[in-house]
Structures are given as structure tokens and as C-alpha cells.
Amino acid sequence: MSLPPKFYQSHAYPPPDKISTPAVNTVDIYVDYACRFSCILFTNWYENIYPKLSEAYGNKIQFIFRHQVQVWHPTSTMMHEASLAVAQIKPEAFLEVSYRFMKNNKQFYDESTADLSRNEIYEKLYDSCIGPYIEGVKKDVFLNKLVIKKSEDPKNSGNAVSNDLKAFTKIGRQNSIHATPTIVVNGYTDGSFESSTPLDKVESKLQALL
């Protein structure tokens, strides 16, 4: 399943301008920021697999980040919205922000956020995971894309990233994705990739694609 073109600079790694050949294998990673198993897999791959893509795989494997909101985690939607806001503001920072969300996700578990409003959670995401690490994403610009403002005539129109999240949600539903993480290799779901899969086995499976 291809990625809508507007997301290639943010959600694909290596990005299109870094790939020397069109014959690229795609590995789609369906993850949820509030899912601890997603966090284990993504942080492990981001730290240990992604840095090797250019040298070890000759940019012949492209990873694509897929948002898969697990609705039983109430903060999940807001975390995915926040990362999509960064993708709009500074696309090249999206994957690092996703990594920061994953590394700090316990701050956004149910017990950590039960007394916070939706808008307060957006602020917390910026203050803990974006502001300290990412240059070029100003807090006011970020919040302007997310914060819900009250009016005398209440509406349900979402925010500036709602349509982006809808696009990823529709793709996940269409492909019958349920569990996170789910890995799809060249269009086919591969259940052998799990959060507990050792890195040497992951690398062996990737090498087999070349």
C-alpha cells in the first residue's frame, strides 16, 4: 500500500530523495504511541536498524511509519495528532519526535493523564518530548494546529491534523490491521516480526529481501 505523497518526507525512511533506485522493498510499521509493545519495537529498530539502512542495505529497504490508534488508550489519538502536527511543521523531525514519544510514553499512560484535559495533554507532549529536543518547532505554532477552542455554538470539526489522521486510519482499517505493532513487508503482513524478535533475526530477514 503506497503512502499518500504528502507524507513521504516525514513518514518514510530513507526519504525518497535519499534512495538511489526505484526497486525499493517497503517495510510498513503499524504502531501506536501508547502501546508498550509498539514502543519496544520502534525504539529498538530506530536505535539499531535505521542507522544501518544506507550502508548495510544500500537504501534498498524503506521503512514507512503507519499510525494505528488503539482506541482503548485514550491519549493515543492526541499523541498521534501531535506527531502529525510536527510532520506538517517540520517533516524531517517527525521520526525523532515519534522516537521521543515512544521513549517517554509512560508519561501519557492512563494513570499519568487522568486529570488532564485534551489541550493540557497537547502542552505536555510539547514540553516533555518536542521542545527540549527539536529545533524549529515553536510551541505556539504547534499548539495552534491542535488546541480545540470553545465557542457558543459547539462543533465537532477537529483540528488541523484531523484529516491526516483519518487518512492513516482508513488505510489501517482497509488492510485489517488490529494488533500493534504489525509489520507489513512489500504488502504482506509478516507475523514473525514481534517486539521481542531479536535484532539479529530482524536483520537476517531484512537481508533476505536484498
Side-chain angles (χ1 to χ4, degrees):
M1 174 61 67
S2 64
L3 188 68
K6 65 183 286 187
F7 299 114
Y8 267 107
Q9 286 303 126
S10 54
H11 287 64
Y13 188 83
D17 58 348
K18 301 296 183 183
I19 295 176
S20 57
T21 170
V24 173
N25 295 283
T26 58
V27 178
D28 296 75
I29 306 175
Y30 287 82
V31 287
D32 173 54
Y33 293 120
C35 165
R36 69 185 183 94
F37 300 107
S38 292
C39 294
I40 292 170
L41 183 141
F42 184 80
T43 56
N44 205 10
W45 287 23
Y46 185 86
E47 292 173 350
N48 299 290
I49 301 293
Y50 279 41
K52 297 180 180 180
L53 285 180
S54 178
E55 182 177 344
Y57 304 110
N59 288 340
K60 292 182 179 180
I61 298 176
Q62 186 178 56
F63 288 81
I64 296 178
F65 187 106
R66 301 281 186 177
H67 299 268
Q68 185 68 21
V69 175
Q70 303 290 36
V71 296
W72 46 87
H73 300 310
T75 57
S76 177
T77 295
M78 286 163 276
M79 296 179 79
H80 285 276
E81 286 180 327
S83 70
L84 285 164
V86 172
Q88 289 184 8
I89 299 166
K90 189 176 182 180
E92 64 272 24
F94 169 79
L95 287 175
E96 182 179 352
V97 166
S98 294
Y99 173 70
R100 298 298 175 183
F101 283 6
M102 297 289 193
K103 290 286 283 187
N104 295 283
N105 79 326
K106 285 189 177 182
Q107 294 186 42
F108 302 95
Y109 280 3
D110 292 351
E111 293 178 16
S112 302
T113 58
D115 296 326
L116 299 179
S117 70
R118 177 177 181 177
N119 290 341
E120 287 172 336
I121 291 172
Y122 293 142
E123 282 211 53
K124 183 174 181 178
L125 283 162
Y126 183 91
D127 291 341
S128 62
C129 301
I130 301 172
Y133 305 105
I134 309 298
E135 294 183 1
V137 179
K138 295 182 178 179
K139 186 173 183 178
D140 60 339
V141 177
F142 169 80
L143 291 176
N144 190 53
K145 288 185 174 292
L146 298 170
V147 166
I148 304 299
K149 299 177 182 178
K150 295 181 180 180
S151 67
E152 293 182 2
D153 180 21
K155 298 178 178 61
N156 204 25
S157 52
N159 52 36
V161 301
S162 293
N163 287 337
D164 289 352
L165 187 55
K166 286 178 183 179
F168 280 98
T169 301
K170 289 175 182 178
I171 291 172
R173 289 174 176 173
Q174 173 182 281
N175 293 335
S176 300
I177 303 298
H178 174 66
T180 54
T182 291
I183 305 300
V184 177
V185 180
N186 292 331
Y188 295 94
T189 300
D190 189 334
S192 68
F193 285 107
E194 298 180 340
S195 60
S196 60
T197 304
L199 283 173
D200 60 338
K201 291 188 177 181
V202 173
E203 294 201 58
S204 293
K205 291 175 70 66
L206 295 178
Q207 286 286 352
L209 295 173
L210 303 181

